[in-house]
Amino acid sequence: MYREIIINAEETETRVAILEDHRLAEFFVERPEQRRIVGNIYKGIVNAVLPGMQAAFVDVGLEKSAFLHVSDLMESDLPDDEIGGDASRNGYTRSGHLPRATRIEALLTKGQEILVQITKEPIASKGARGTTQISLAGRFLVLMPNSIHLGISRKIEDRSERNRLREIVGPIQPADMGLIVRTVGEGKDAKLFKDDVRYLTRTWKHVVSRSRKRQVPAELHSEPELTGSLIRDLFSEEVDRVVVDCGKQYKEIRRYVQGLMPELKERIHLYEGDAPVFDHYGVETEIEQMLNRRIPLRRGAYIAIDQTEALTTIDVNTGRFRGASDQEETIVITNLEAARESARQMRMRDIGGIIVIDFIDMEKESNRRRVFEELRKNLRADRSRTKILPISEFGLVQMTRQRVRPSHLHFFSESCSCCGGLGRVLSPETMVSMVERCFHRLTQRTGERNIAVHLHPEVAIHMLSNRIGRVQDLEKEFGLTIEIVDDPAVGRQEIRMYSVSTGEDLTRKVLPKS
């Protein structure tokens, strides 16, 4: 597979596209005012301990307090694919800390100062999630200051290589600290690991030093900006090309790679073309379509993605695809395409949490297994943790995908001011009926008889063209003079009523009392 990393660095935002065989597979964006905080370490103060939830809230200086569950004090939050080897040693848990049965009120008290590392960005109304199990990521190693664990990435499967790495890293493991060899460490020599250990232990000493000097709440360590962290984590022999359109970042990346992976330096290229770099590589169009609800498949079928706060649903539809004479085979072909595209869209849109995929019903169990395995195969390329259940008899797949930050839908958009995020607005007919009920309340609650009704142009036009006779009947019934005003400043689901004689806003008097 041909892999490329395309970097578009502008003053207002930095965007990074990961291409696989020239198609967009993953997309990242960062703005100066919305820097990512996952991996940052803070000195915080506990401002609430909740035994009933076995959780605490810690003020770390962010807009909202960080959430800390009791498991975040005892379990490592490292990705599953970066854990391997012995699960415990000398009676400790994997993280080298206390047994699971310990309750949070025995571990934390209100007003206590602690170090917290962010593991999840704030999402919607929820604050960030943190852990006390600090981990510092280097190029080839992860240092865990509160652990004594030595592990090897599970993605390194060769037993002899795992043993070789353990023999190299074991002697350089700092006392009372844990190390995990990252996937990119496969095949690397001892010098690179020693350099990483020196860098990581020096970083941890700086964190401890700042912690002693600074008052709570305080930021003690921040992860590199988007480009730096992605080059550190993703750039390896498996990446064929890195293209960046900013001269400054181009030089910084080459300098970084020269020190760690000089053999890969020539894969880094400065883009100097006339067209924007994302246009040149055909990425911009895919990004613009990324928030579309409906995604077409090759043969005319499509999937529809709906994201809510609680879960995401992906619905599969044959659309214009009719296939051959065998209906079951047509459905299977559609479902196989949908499985591949669904996995891609989850990565590309960074969809996390609970996900339900509604495949088209298949009669044969063998076909259900075939589609399920296709989905699993395509999810293996996903760096985020996923858990997936087999297809049910109703054609549903239930799964979860690790959620670290808001999806791109929530990053790039906000709730509609007209529909409140529902995705639908009341029809003109419904709005006109609501207006008529307001006239009834008007006669009961006010003495006004000369009324101007301001409505959204679509609603006003519908009322004047289809209900003008009804308006005249209401004027006669209640002794009113009614003026319908099409007002673009009025929302699609909004009604504004004014007294023509005094200009008084009567809206609150005529709307239903809450």
Side-chain angles (χ1 to χ4, degrees):
M1 181 180 291
Y2 189 79
R3 287 189 173 90
E4 299 168 283
I5 299 177
I6 314 298
I7 302 170
N8 168 224
E10 299 175 346
E11 187 174 337
T12 55
E13 65 182 15
T14 297
R15 302 185 300 168
V16 180
I18 312 297
L19 306 187
E20 295 178 353
D21 290 336
H22 308 291
R23 293 192 73 199
L24 183 64
E26 292 185 71
F27 176 67
F28 306 90
V29 61
E30 185 175 75
R31 294 168 181 161
E33 71 278 8
Q34 293 175 292
R35 285 287 305 273
R36 298 180 176 213
I37 62 172
V38 167
N40 289 6
I41 302 173
Y42 298 86
K43 181 180 181 180
I45 184 168
V46 178
N47 53 20
V49 177
L50 308 175
M53 295 176 60
Q54 281 300 290
F57 288 94
V58 183
D59 180 8
V60 296
L62 302 174
E63 183 179 349
K64 294 182 179 180
S65 295
F67 177 82
L68 193 66
H69 189 261
V70 67
S71 61
D72 298 316
L73 279 74
M74 300 181 294
E75 281 288 329
S76 170
D77 278 289
L78 290 169
D80 284 345
D81 65 348
E82 296 294 349
I83 296 173
D86 300 331
S88 62
R89 183 166 57 178
N90 299 332
Y92 285 80
T93 60
R94 182 173 66 186
S95 62
H97 259 241
L98 299 167
R100 291 176 182 270
T102 306
R103 295 181 61 80
I104 198 162
E105 59 267 33
L107 298 172
L108 296 178
T109 57
K110 186 176 180 180
Q112 181 178 344
E113 296 182 2
I114 58 173
L115 297 191
V116 174
Q117 186 171 40
I118 301 302
T119 59
K120 285 185 181 180
E121 302 270 354
I123 298 175
S125 60
K126 300 176 182 177
R129 181 157 183 169
T131 179
T132 59
Q133 293 304 298
I134 309 298
S135 62
L136 294 172
R139 172 62 181 168
F140 306 106
L141 294 168
V142 174
L143 177 72
M144 300 180 295
N146 300 328
S147 172
I148 57 174
H149 174 63
L150 174 61
I152 312 293
S153 167
R154 285 178 178 165
K155 289 188 176 180
I156 301 176
E157 298 178 350
D158 183 80
R159 185 175 294 276
S160 61
E161 174 64 9
R162 293 178 68 87
N163 290 334
R164 184 190 76 87
L165 291 170
R166 195 176 295 277
E167 290 174 1
I168 291 175
V169 175
I172 63 175
Q173 181 178 0
D176 300 322
M177 293 190 189
L179 286 177
I180 289 182
V181 179
R182 306 188 72 182
T183 306
V184 292
E186 185 173 10
K188 298 300 185 292
D189 58 38
K191 180 183 181 303
L192 295 175
F193 293 112
K194 289 177 182 177
D195 291 343
D196 236 14
V197 168
R198 278 196 294 269
Y199 163 73
L200 292 171
T201 52
R202 187 168 62 246
T203 301
W204 176 242
K205 287 177 182 177
H206 289 162
V207 171
V208 174
S209 176
R210 293 189 189 105
S211 175
R212 290 170 179 159
K213 296 175 183 177
R214 297 186 181 180
Q215 299 295 315
V216 292
E219 181 183 294
L220 307 178
H221 168 79
S222 62
E223 280 287 283
E225 63 181 12
L226 177 63
T227 302
S229 63
L230 287 178
I231 292 297
R232 178 194 69 191
D233 296 340
L234 298 182
F235 189 35
S236 66
E237 291 86 351
E238 295 181 351
V239 176
D240 298 279
R241 182 181 175 90
V242 174
V243 180
V244 56
D245 65 355
C246 171
K248 180 182 177 182
Q249 289 211 2
Y250 167 74
K251 293 176 182 177
E252 290 176 355
I253 293 171
R254 282 181 65 91
R255 192 181 307 117
Y256 174 79
V257 172
Q258 175 65 41
L260 291 174
M261 306 163 285
E263 70 279 6
L264 299 181
K265 189 174 72 171
E266 297 309 313
R267 300 189 187 189
I268 304 166
H269 303 272
L270 176 64
Y271 177 76
E272 298 179 293
D274 294 329
V277 64
F278 274 19
D279 287 352
H280 178 79
Y281 284 90
V283 177
E284 199 69 64
T285 301
E286 287 203 73
I287 293 173
E288 290 174 357
Q289 295 173 350
M290 188 171 58
L291 301 185
N292 290 351
R293 175 180 179 269
R294 183 165 161 168
I295 301 94
L297 303 178
R298 277 194 309 125
R299 293 177 171 84
Y302 66 89
I303 60 174
I305 301 178
D306 292 293
Q307 293 180 242
T308 69
E309 188 171 340
L311 59 81
T312 297
T313 62
I314 301 177
D315 183 49
V316 182
N317 198 298
T318 54
R320 294 181 289 102
F321 178 48
R322 294 294 175 264
S325 56
D326 190 329
Q327 182 183 17
E328 178 82 355
E329 186 61 23
T330 299
I331 291 172
V332 171
I333 291 172
T334 301
N335 282 339
L336 289 171
E337 281 192 29
R340 290 188 284 268
E341 188 62 27
S342 295
R344 175 173 174 261
Q345 290 292 329
M346 281 184 259
R347 287 179 66 197
M348 190 169 66
R349 299 174 183 231
D350 203 7
I351 297 172
I354 301 171
I355 301 166
V356 177
I357 306 176
D358 183 9
F359 288 104
I360 304 170
D361 289 344
M362 294 167 284
E363 294 182 2
K364 298 179 181 178
E365 175 63 28
S366 59
N367 287 333
R368 290 198 286 268
R369 285 197 302 269
R370 184 179 167 192
V371 171
F372 177 72
E373 289 304 321
E374 185 69 18
L375 178 61
R376 285 185 61 187
K377 182 180 78 173
N378 283 270
L379 287 172
R380 291 191 190 109
D382 197 338
R383 293 183 301 116
S384 295
R385 291 195 300 263
T386 58
K387 294 181 180 180
I388 179 170
L389 298 178
I391 298 180
S392 73
E393 60 181 309
F394 302 112
L396 300 178
V397 165
Q398 301 172 72
M399 62 174 289
T400 61
R401 184 175 183 272
Q402 180 187 18
R403 177 157 57 186
V404 175
R405 61 190 63 87
S407 70
H408 291 319
L409 175 68
H410 293 98
F411 184 88
F412 286 108
S413 65
E414 59 185 25
S415 292
C416 170
S417 59
C418 293
C419 68
L422 181 65
R424 300 180 67 85
V425 293
L426 297 176
S427 66
E429 293 85 354
T430 302
M431 288 299 302
V432 169
S433 296
M434 291 173 64
V435 171
E436 293 181 7
R437 287 191 286 273
C438 285
F439 289 139
H440 284 269
R441 296 188 195 101
L442 183 76
T443 59
Q444 298 172 355
R445 301 174 185 175
T446 76
E448 296 293 337
R449 290 294 179 264
N450 197 354
I451 308 299
V453 184
H454 289 237
L455 302 170
H456 186 275
E458 288 183 23
V459 179
I461 290 171
H462 181 84
M463 192 165 190
L464 291 170
S465 60
N466 298 305
R467 297 283 190 96
I468 190 62
R470 179 59 180 154
V471 172
Q472 293 169 349
D473 290 342
L474 290 170
E475 287 180 320
K476 294 177 181 178
E477 181 178 353
F478 298 111
L480 300 173
T481 300
I482 300 172
E483 178 185 358
I484 306 298
V485 180
D486 62 325
D487 188 346
V490 175
R492 180 63 172 71
Q493 299 189 143
E494 191 178 4
I495 299 169
R496 307 294 302 180
M497 286 192 174
Y498 299 92
S499 167
V500 173
S501 57
T502 65
E504 180 187 358
D505 188 344
L506 305 173
T507 306
R508 289 189 176 183
K509 297 180 179 180
V510 299
L511 292 178
K513 291 183 178 179
S514 57

